[in-house]
Amino acid sequence: MLIDTHAHLDSRKFDSDREEVIQRALEAGVDTIVNIGFNRETIPTTLELAEKYPFIYAVVGWHPTDAVDMKMEEDLAWIERLCTEHPKVVAIGEIGLDYYWDTSPKDVQQAVFREQIRLARRIGRPIVIHNRDAHEDVVKLLKEERASEVGGIMHCFSGSWETAKQCLDMNFHISFGGPVTYKNARVPKEVLERVPLDRLLIETDAPYLTPHPHRGKRNESAYVRLVAEAAAEIKGISWQEIAKITSENACRCFGISR
């Protein structure tokens, strides 16, 4: 069975057929989905999904592109309360830095990132990292804030092996999504080949980053099998073995019992 470790099934892109999308995931062998609530709008809708479906878990946090909208004290207290009181919340995320979209100033992003790492360390929860065009600063802040004490996941990893190695040394798992299935994705394939099996995770980031051969269309959790198959080919083992290993890794990282 497969685990999709990162999805956004509460997205409005699924409003017309969400039940069917979830059913297709189950039929494809996906028995656990981790949905991400990353701002004031999506945290409640993520919790609704987790409360409705026993096989959907929640990650809550503040996305760097929304950092400028965060009410630091109030929203950190909300995240802490959910992490400590809600039985389906398994991590803080997705948090990090995004220097591609110009929606939140870098200093604001960094402040919000630091505070959420500190919260994670205080309550002992893993963190899910969003990193876009900010590899150096993400690694720097993770080191400065001692994120290795909680570890977590480098979501949809797109960096170099050197960056991946630094993250592995800080107790992080490296997660791959649809881009690793693309024919021209040389670097992600090379990094995946070198990531130890016990630190490897797979995801969809649905509805985004759809894998081949559905690229250009809406992504969904059922397609995590395509990522598993690509990872299996790169690692030289069966996709069933990848499914077993990555599922065990995800359960250990998130503290999920199946």
Side-chain angles (χ1 to χ4, degrees):
M1 304 299 280
L2 294 152
I3 294 183
D4 182 0
T5 61
H6 196 111
H8 300 278
L9 299 187
D10 58 317
S11 167
R12 292 172 185 171
K13 295 179 184 292
F14 296 111
D15 282 354
S16 65
D17 62 346
R18 187 171 289 107
E19 293 280 349
E20 292 89 340
V21 167
I22 292 171
Q23 185 58 39
R24 282 196 293 272
L26 293 173
E27 291 169 356
V30 182
D31 72 345
T32 303
I33 299 168
V34 181
N35 207 80
I36 315 297
F38 56 86
N39 58 19
R40 200 166 288 110
E41 177 184 358
T42 61
I43 289 174
T45 52
T46 288
L47 294 174
E48 287 175 16
L49 281 178
E51 290 163 2
K52 182 175 181 179
Y53 298 96
F55 50 88
I56 296 181
Y57 291 83
V59 169
V60 299
W62 221 266
H63 197 285
T65 59
D66 295 298
V68 73
D69 299 319
M70 188 181 195
K71 299 175 182 177
M72 188 77 81
E73 186 174 339
E74 176 184 331
D75 290 324
L76 281 173
W78 182 32
I79 293 167
E80 179 173 3
R81 188 166 62 251
L82 292 173
C83 286
T84 55
E85 297 178 5
H86 198 293
K88 299 295 288 294
V89 174
V90 295
I92 294 176
E94 57 190 282
I95 66 175
L97 302 174
D98 190 316
Y99 292 169
Y100 179 82
W101 296 109
D102 186 23
T103 57
S104 292
K106 290 182 180 179
D107 61 332
V108 175
Q109 290 188 43
Q110 292 176 13
V112 168
F113 188 21
R114 287 185 187 275
E115 289 301 324
Q116 291 183 98
I117 299 171
R118 293 169 185 172
L119 170 60
R121 285 178 45 235
R122 188 166 70 249
I123 64 177
R125 286 300 179 101
I127 52 180
V128 176
I129 304 299
H130 173 101
N131 170 16
R132 188 162 187 188
D133 294 353
H135 303 304
E136 185 176 339
D137 282 354
V138 165
V139 170
K140 177 175 177 284
L141 267 64
L142 289 173
K143 288 181 177 178
E144 289 178 357
E145 297 299 335
R146 307 197 309 277
S148 60
E149 294 178 13
V150 291
I153 299 171
M154 305 305 294
H155 143 64
C156 204
F157 189 78
S158 62
S160 66
W161 167 246
E162 289 71 23
T163 299
K165 181 66 168 60
Q166 290 178 295
C167 296
L168 289 167
D169 290 344
M170 287 188 287
N171 196 27
F172 280 85
H173 294 73
I174 310 296
S175 183
F176 296 88
V180 82
T181 69
Y182 304 160
K183 291 181 180 179
N184 61 349
R186 179 183 59 81
V187 173
K189 292 176 190 289
E190 290 176 354
V191 173
L192 191 153
E193 185 176 16
R194 300 178 72 173
V195 170
L197 282 171
D198 67 348
R199 295 294 194 86
L200 179 65
L201 292 175
I202 55 176
E203 63 173 270
T204 62
D205 200 22
Y208 314 107
L209 298 176
T210 312
H212 177 80
H214 305 291
R215 190 175 183 181
K217 300 177 182 178
R218 184 190 66 178
N219 200 1
E220 56 183 79
S221 285
Y223 297 162
V224 76
R225 176 167 169 172
L226 297 171
V227 181
E229 290 171 350
E233 183 177 354
I234 293 166
K235 286 292 193 183
I237 58 179
S238 70
W239 79 263
Q240 292 92 339
E241 288 177 275
I242 287 289
K244 180 178 184 294
I245 291 166
T246 56
S247 294
E248 290 172 351
N249 293 345
C251 288
R252 185 172 62 252
C253 180
F254 287 126
I256 294 173
S257 297
R258 291 195 296 172

